[in-house]
Amino acid sequence: MPMIDWERLRRLAQDSARRGYAPYSGLKVGAAGVNDRGDVLSSCNVENASLGLTLCAECGLISALAASGGGRLAAVAVSDDGGNPLSPCGRCRQLLHEHGGGDLLVDSGSGAPPRRLNELLPSAFGPGDLPAKGARQ
Ligand code: THU
């Protein structure tokens, strides 16, 4: 696992949040993460007039991870455009779990230690809960 440069991730999350498209909620969100190869990725939220189709910053982060060649996410920071840390929403916790697992470290801001995803999403449903390919009806 790479050494986590939390300050860098926080800065990147904030920079990304500044590019967020949030005309409806007014909350611009950025997410930054590092995978197990040390690649650093980021994204921002993109809202939609339908409201329900809004893409959270973490959704874009997962897309960026896949587009950059994949790997497992090791650490993630999420913040608004003022640099205030945000906790991933429930749906995004599930998305993060698929690509980082329960040991993924989630930033809590500079004043507190990061938390593992399995603390934020206990007893998570995951790929291992699906039947094996050959066993599908
Ligand atoms: N948002 C995120 O980007 N990530 C989260 O984990 C929580 C919420 C965005 C979605 C919407 O554009 C705005 O924050 C307000 O909910």
Side-chain angles (χ1 to χ4, degrees):
M1 276 299 153
M3 270 288 294
I4 312 299
D5 185 344
W6 288 105
E7 276 313 313
R8 180 178 177 202
L9 291 184
R10 286 178 197 134
R11 253 194 330 270
L12 195 54
Q14 182 179 3
D15 285 350
S16 301
R18 291 193 178 119
R19 292 190 287 273
Y21 176 72
Y24 306 110
S25 75
L27 180 63
K28 295 181 168 203
V29 182
V34 60
N35 69 7
D36 52 1
R37 290 194 302 268
D39 302 324
V40 174
L41 310 146
S42 63
S43 188
C44 61
N45 61 337
V46 180
E47 296 188 344
N48 187 274
S50 73
L51 305 184
L53 291 181
T54 287
L55 303 174
C56 283
E58 297 92 323
C59 295
L61 182 73
I62 298 300
S63 293
L65 175 76
S68 76
R72 299 291 288 169
L73 269 181
V76 169
V78 183
S79 85
D80 68 12
D81 57 344
N84 302 298
L86 293 169
S87 191
C89 75
R91 178 175 183 269
C92 289
R93 291 176 192 197
Q94 184 71 33
L95 289 177
L96 292 170
H97 182 267
E98 179 95 7
H99 299 277
D103 286 333
L104 171 67
L105 294 172
V106 181
D107 184 39
S108 308
S110 56
R115 292 200 284 176
R116 288 187 194 281
L117 186 59
N118 58 18
E119 202 187 322
L120 301 176
L121 189 68
S123 306
F125 179 88
D129 294 308
L130 293 173
K133 252 189 187 155
R136 283 183 207 151
Q137 314 241 319

